[in-house]
Amino acid sequence: MKKGLIAAGLLVSLSGTAQDVSTYTPGTMGEGVVYYLPKTEIELQIIATKVVYTPGEFCQYADRYLRLTGISSQPEEHWEINSIKVNSIGIPDPDNAYAVKLKDKSAASQVELTPEGIIKAINTTSPIEKAPVTKVADTAKKRIDPRSFMTEEILIAGSTAKMAELVAKEIYNIRESKNSLTRGQADYMPKDGAALKLMLDNLDEQEQAMMQMFAGTTDRTEKSFTIRIKPEAGMKEKVAFRFSKKLGMLDADNLSGEPYYISIINQETLPPVDPKGKEKKKMDGVIYNIPGKAQVTVFTPNKRYFDGELPVTQFGTTECLVDNLFNKKVNTRVIFNPNTGGIVKIDKD
């Protein structure tokens, strides 16, 4: 077993011609390369956002001085689901491990495996697949201290109400300065467009910092969560996970959150396999998967997040590439899908 797995992820050189493929069981491998066929798990990738609202120091004066209504004086934290992506993922199937045994004059000289030991290619190199990158945003910014823009008059004010009044006046002064600059009516106009932009940006920064003292701040932080589901025939309305606006992502058995369901329905596009016939079938060649298909739905009572058809190897069958494809007269190259174990491409010359 160890000898076969050491070859995982590499091009393993084989020498000789016809091959003999047999089901692998510990202690009976012999010489050759052990590979796994994959089985399917349904992967849910959930992107959720944590929203944190912090009230401003002068929130109770927002309406009086700036006519800002609906400003809360209470801090708040909640979660939102942005998206749910669903894919078929292949993992090594310990019940479908095979040993490629060598005989003399074999033309199958290279076998490529994934790091987990799943077959990827024979006599060629599979294309390099870039792992999908999920960008998770964090919109929480390093905030500027509004007090750094306060005048001496504001800082020595005797009460919070007086400070709020003076800060509001400063905000109105900043807005007047911006209007004068954009209209070309300022006493000291910048010499060029770049200088004008710099001045306007600085004024915007000051205004936003001071406005936060009334309107408060809202930080949004995205996080990614991954859940794997093992498909079963006739899986209907299984709770995949739960979600709470207060607590965020929760396990399926945590009743504190709203359930999110998954249904996996076998499409039965392939005829059922006769177990007795499969036992009698002689497997002389490279065993591969013909995956079945499933209709997968992820939903809540109020919304459907995913509804599509995905390959599921457990709903399919296995076949073999006959020995004659790998003789010296024919140079056969095969690329497999490591997620399904099916053939992606086969060439010969």
Side-chain angles (χ1 to χ4, degrees):
M1 180 67 173
K2 288 183 179 178
K3 183 176 179 180
L5 293 181
I6 288 173
L10 303 174
L11 289 176
V12 183
S13 295
L14 311 177
S15 56
T17 11
Q19 332 172 52
D20 186 19
V21 178
S22 60
T23 303
Y24 173 75
T25 53
T28 63
M29 181 183 73
E31 294 184 2
V33 176
V34 173
Y35 69 90
Y36 290 103
L37 291 179
K39 63 180 179 180
T40 298
E41 289 188 350
I42 303 299
E43 182 180 86
L44 280 62
Q45 190 173 62
I46 302 104
I47 304 296
T49 301
K50 182 180 181 181
V51 183
V52 179
Y53 166 73
T54 303
E57 182 179 348
F58 305 141
C59 58
Q60 66 268 38
Y61 303 105
D63 186 24
R64 181 190 301 181
Y65 295 126
L66 295 174
R67 296 295 183 263
L68 296 176
T69 59
I71 302 299
S72 174
S73 61
Q74 299 299 318
E76 183 192 356
E77 181 178 308
H78 69 273
W79 286 82
E80 303 169 352
I81 284 187
N82 294 0
S83 65
I84 300 177
K85 295 182 180 180
V86 185
N87 294 294
S88 287
I89 301 296
I91 63 171
D93 185 357
D95 295 327
N96 277 293
Y98 299 93
V100 180
K101 296 182 181 179
L102 307 179
K103 293 182 180 179
D104 293 338
K105 302 178 182 178
S106 174
S109 58
Q110 291 180 328
V111 176
E112 184 183 9
L113 309 178
T114 68
E116 295 79 24
I118 297 173
I119 192 166
K120 290 179 69 176
I122 296 177
N123 287 341
T124 187
T125 301
S126 63
I128 297 175
E129 297 181 0
K130 292 184 178 179
V133 177
T134 301
K135 293 184 178 180
V136 179
D138 186 347
T139 58
K141 299 178 181 178
K142 184 178 179 182
R143 303 193 182 280
I144 299 173
D145 183 3
R147 292 179 177 273
S148 63
F149 300 117
M150 290 184 180
T151 63
E152 181 181 0
E153 183 183 7
I154 296 173
L155 292 172
I156 64 174
S159 67
T160 302
K162 185 61 177 179
M163 285 187 71
E165 180 184 358
L166 293 174
V167 170
K169 287 182 179 180
E170 190 68 20
I171 290 173
Y172 288 124
N173 289 336
I174 291 171
R175 291 176 180 176
E176 288 179 8
S177 297
K178 290 197 296 183
N179 287 334
S180 297
L181 285 169
T182 54
R183 293 170 184 169
Q185 298 173 351
D187 293 336
Y188 300 98
M189 288 297 298
K191 295 180 180 179
D192 53 40
L196 175 62
K197 183 179 183 305
L198 181 61
M199 290 182 68
L200 290 173
D201 287 346
N202 287 335
L203 289 171
D204 282 338
E205 188 177 76
Q206 293 178 40
E207 181 183 357
Q208 290 173 14
M210 290 186 169
M211 282 292 294
Q212 290 168 9
M213 301 189 77
F214 293 91
T217 61
T218 300
D219 294 326
R220 303 174 66 87
T221 305
E222 287 186 359
K223 291 189 178 182
S224 176
F225 303 88
T226 301
I227 294 173
R228 295 279 184 89
I229 305 291
K230 295 180 180 178
E232 296 176 5
M235 180 182 284
K236 294 183 179 180
E237 297 186 4
K238 174 184 173 67
V239 178
F241 65 94
R242 291 179 184 266
F243 185 81
S244 165
K245 286 186 177 180
K246 285 188 175 182
L247 304 175
M249 288 290 298
L250 300 171
D251 293 334
D253 57 356
N254 190 329
L255 301 183
S256 301
E258 175 191 1
Y260 281 64
Y261 300 99
I262 184 169
S263 291
I264 303 174
I265 308 300
N266 187 356
Q267 297 298 86
E268 297 182 350
T269 56
L270 296 173
V273 178
D274 180 4
K276 293 183 179 179
K278 190 175 180 180
E279 288 176 5
K280 294 178 182 178
K281 189 175 181 180
K282 186 178 180 182
M283 295 202 236
D284 288 332
V286 176
I287 313 302
Y288 66 96
N289 282 334
I290 300 179
K293 293 181 180 180
Q295 189 70 26
V296 180
T297 310
V298 178
F299 60 97
T300 65
N302 301 318
K303 184 174 181 179
R304 193 164 294 223
Y305 288 87
F306 179 85
D307 190 1
E309 198 173 72
L310 294 176
V312 176
T313 60
Q314 293 91 313
F315 297 163
T317 184
T318 55
E319 286 294 339
C320 64
L321 289 171
V322 294
D323 232 6
N324 292 337
L325 288 172
F326 301 101
N327 57 49
K328 277 195 170 182
K329 296 180 181 179
V330 181
N331 180 22
T332 303
R333 299 175 297 278
V334 187
I335 295 176
F336 300 91
N337 184 329
N339 277 323
T340 66
I343 293 176
V344 175
K345 185 179 181 182
I346 182 168
D347 293 323
K348 58 183 180 178
D349 52 36

